[in-house]
Amino acid sequence: MGSVLVRPPRDTLPLVGRVGEGVAAVLVALLLGAPAQAESFPDFLHAFRAKAVAAGIDPGVYDLSTAGLTPDPTIKTLVETQPEFTTPIWDYLDKRITDRRVSSGRAAIEANRALFAATGKRFGVDPYVLGAIWGIETDYGAVLDNPKLIKPIVRSLATLVYQKRGRLKADEADFIAALQLVQRGPLDARHLVGSWAGAIGHLQVNPSNVVAHGTDGDGDGKVDLQNSLADALATSAKFLVDLGYAPGVDWGFEVAVPKGFDYLLADRETLRPLGFFAERGVKRIKGQPFADLSLPVFFYAPAGARGPAFLMTGNYLVLKGYNFSDSYALSVAHLADRLKGAGDFVTGWPRDTKFPDLSQRKAIQAALIRLKLYAGAVDGRLGPVTAAAYAKFQASRGEVADGFITLQAYEELTAATQ
Ligand code: CA
């Protein structure tokens, strides 16, 4: 219990977020490359060859790409442990959306104005969303020249597969996809570069998704996300479209809710017409009317009743699909607005919130089980299921059922189950 040997999803560690942070505090870097088993790296490469060839990699391409390859000793096995303390969403946003990130982003988009406009028009994707992803992933390309961060990904991915971390299947798929990209060209294995996890180019797309969505943006007949911003933007725009991005639709709206609003309506499984919430007194935060009351949305209050609240559209879910994390999706959404000139969210974050530590989080889940409100694991991971269970507990006591689990939740549940 508690610590599981899995690699964190890439979304929680965008490349830029890693710069200056080192490895995030939730991660403990342990082994230096050596896997638990005794298999040597050359033996591993030899054994993997059949799998790659079966997946369509030309044996000659495999041999050329892996000849003389050694594991990258700087790629540590990242063992994700359950964080003792919760990182609040506002800390995540604060780190990624700084005044400098906004002003340098406006300048970078302005310097590529025609390209952003053309890409937005070609794919029906908000160019500022692409600009925001660019900023969050690579600081508008600034880190792409850093050889400590950007290296040949065939070697990186071979090292990761060799290490057999928790994401082995995804790593194998990306390793094979990287070989497919080499096979396809224009870049050979020495020149196909990306992050330690294999994500490529200005907007950091992993090889499997480059294979699936790679698009030539500058018309030279090749797809090169590292050296062509046009290709990177086109590929990510195509990726968003393939995920179901709806042209011309906002990611969502910050809203104000009336007193007594039923937070149990915060259910993203069911998107409801915007009018459903408007009828219940939900208004845009600055008082503008909603343009389209039939737009399907869901209600989301990531920091509970004391923080900003949103009505989110399907395009927010597309951003989450692009990189599976609410913190990431909200960062992209908000940075896109900031790049357009909008200010911070109107409602502030409840920065004085005290959060339960790991043992208290487990106690919360155990108490919810005792109250027959929760049937999941007691692992201290407070996901949407635990939040929904806690919201029911709040509702049963006549409290605002926002499901936002704070230290107070621990105290109340402890008292209620003693
Ligand atoms: Ca190209």
Side-chain angles (χ1 to χ4, degrees):
M1 229 187 304
S3 97
V4 189
L5 198 72
V6 290
R7 179 202 167 225
R10 188 183 70 81
D11 49 285
T12 59
L13 289 173
L15 198 56
V16 172
R18 291 167 52 80
V19 179
E21 280 174 30
V23 173
V26 298
L27 301 171
V28 184
L30 286 185
L31 311 171
L32 274 168
Q37 81 285 23
E39 184 184 38
S40 74
F41 192 67
D43 285 350
F44 152 73
L45 287 176
H46 182 73
F48 197 83
R49 188 177 188 269
K51 201 175 250 184
V53 170
I57 302 303
D58 182 274
V61 169
Y62 187 86
D63 294 341
L64 202 60
S65 302
T66 58
L69 210 61
T70 54
D72 182 344
T74 68
I75 294 180
K76 299 169 177 68
T77 298
L78 298 172
V79 179
E80 189 188 23
T81 59
Q82 261 295 73
E84 184 66 16
F85 297 99
T86 306
T87 306
I89 190 167
W90 48 88
D91 282 355
Y92 186 99
L93 291 164
D94 285 352
K95 272 188 194 136
R96 287 160 183 83
I97 307 176
T98 59
D99 288 344
R100 192 204 61 79
R101 185 67 58 78
V102 172
S103 59
S104 61
R106 285 181 190 156
I109 292 170
E110 182 58 33
N112 296 278
R113 172 184 276 278
L115 174 62
F116 272 87
T119 308
K121 198 170 169 203
R122 176 177 169 194
F123 295 94
V125 169
D126 181 349
Y128 287 94
V129 166
L130 297 172
I133 296 172
W134 189 29
I136 284 172
E137 293 288 355
T138 64
D139 200 11
Y140 313 103
V143 304
L144 293 180
D145 299 331
N146 184 337
K148 282 197 181 132
L149 292 173
I150 303 297
K151 312 171 190 206
I153 63 167
V154 166
R155 185 186 188 204
S156 299
L157 288 164
T159 305
L160 288 171
V161 175
Y162 176 59
Q163 289 178 350
K164 295 191 171 35
R165 23 174 224 167
R167 267 181 50 115
L168 181 60
K169 282 236 173 328
D171 286 338
E172 285 188 352
D174 275 333
F175 183 30
I176 289 170
L179 293 164
Q180 280 175 312
L181 294 175
V182 169
Q183 186 158 307
R184 195 184 278 186
L187 303 174
D188 65 20
R190 276 194 320 126
H191 294 96
L192 183 68
V193 294
S195 75
W196 65 273
I200 305 171
H202 286 270
L203 282 72
Q204 291 286 286
V205 180
N206 66 312
S208 300
N209 280 316
V210 178
V211 168
H213 311 287
T215 303
D216 178 20
D218 56 20
D220 69 353
K222 297 162 187 163
V223 177
D224 179 354
L225 309 186
Q226 167 80 10
N227 300 301
S228 166
L229 177 60
D231 288 6
L233 294 177
T235 295
S236 285
K238 174 71 163 43
F239 191 177
L240 292 171
V241 167
D242 291 345
L243 286 166
Y245 186 94
V249 175
D250 216 324
W251 57 267
F253 315 93
E254 188 184 354
V255 295
V257 302
K259 255 205 165 14
F261 177 75
D262 183 3
Y263 278 81
L264 292 176
L265 293 172
D267 164 22
R268 67 175 63 188
E269 302 306 312
T270 329
L271 271 65
R272 297 181 170 95
L274 211 156
F276 174 91
F277 293 98
E279 284 163 16
R280 282 157 183 79
V282 176
K283 292 185 163 58
R284 283 192 80 167
I285 195 84
K286 283 177 178 162
Q288 313 103 306
F290 292 114
D292 177 4
L293 291 175
S294 69
L295 191 65
V297 292
F298 67 94
F299 180 81
Y300 181 45
R306 293 174 58 231
F310 305 95
L311 289 177
M312 296 300 197
T313 71
N315 278 352
Y316 175 82
L317 294 176
V318 166
L319 294 179
K320 209 183 153 198
Y322 185 87
N323 210 336
F324 193 76
S325 148
D326 273 303
S327 302
Y328 179 89
L330 194 61
S331 296
V332 170
H334 188 44
L335 180 54
D337 282 359
R338 296 289 298 274
L339 291 171
K340 290 177 194 175
D344 206 345
F345 294 127
V346 173
T347 305
W349 296 102
R351 291 172 185 273
D352 58 348
T353 301
K354 291 189 172 60
F355 290 98
D357 67 21
L358 182 58
S359 67
Q360 289 165 334
R361 296 202 299 275
K362 289 179 181 172
I364 286 166
Q365 291 171 319
L368 289 168
I369 288 174
R370 250 172 271 138
L371 293 167
K372 301 198 187 325
L373 294 171
Y374 175 70
V378 179
D379 57 6
R381 290 169 190 271
L382 304 184
V385 179
T386 314
Y390 175 60
K392 281 185 204 154
F393 172 76
Q394 291 174 301
S396 74
R397 293 157 58 96
E399 294 169 8
V400 175
D402 62 5
F404 185 51
I405 299 176
T406 64
L407 186 60
Q408 196 188 333
Y410 166 74
E411 287 157 1
E412 289 176 356
L413 281 164
T414 306
T417 51
Q418 260 167 3

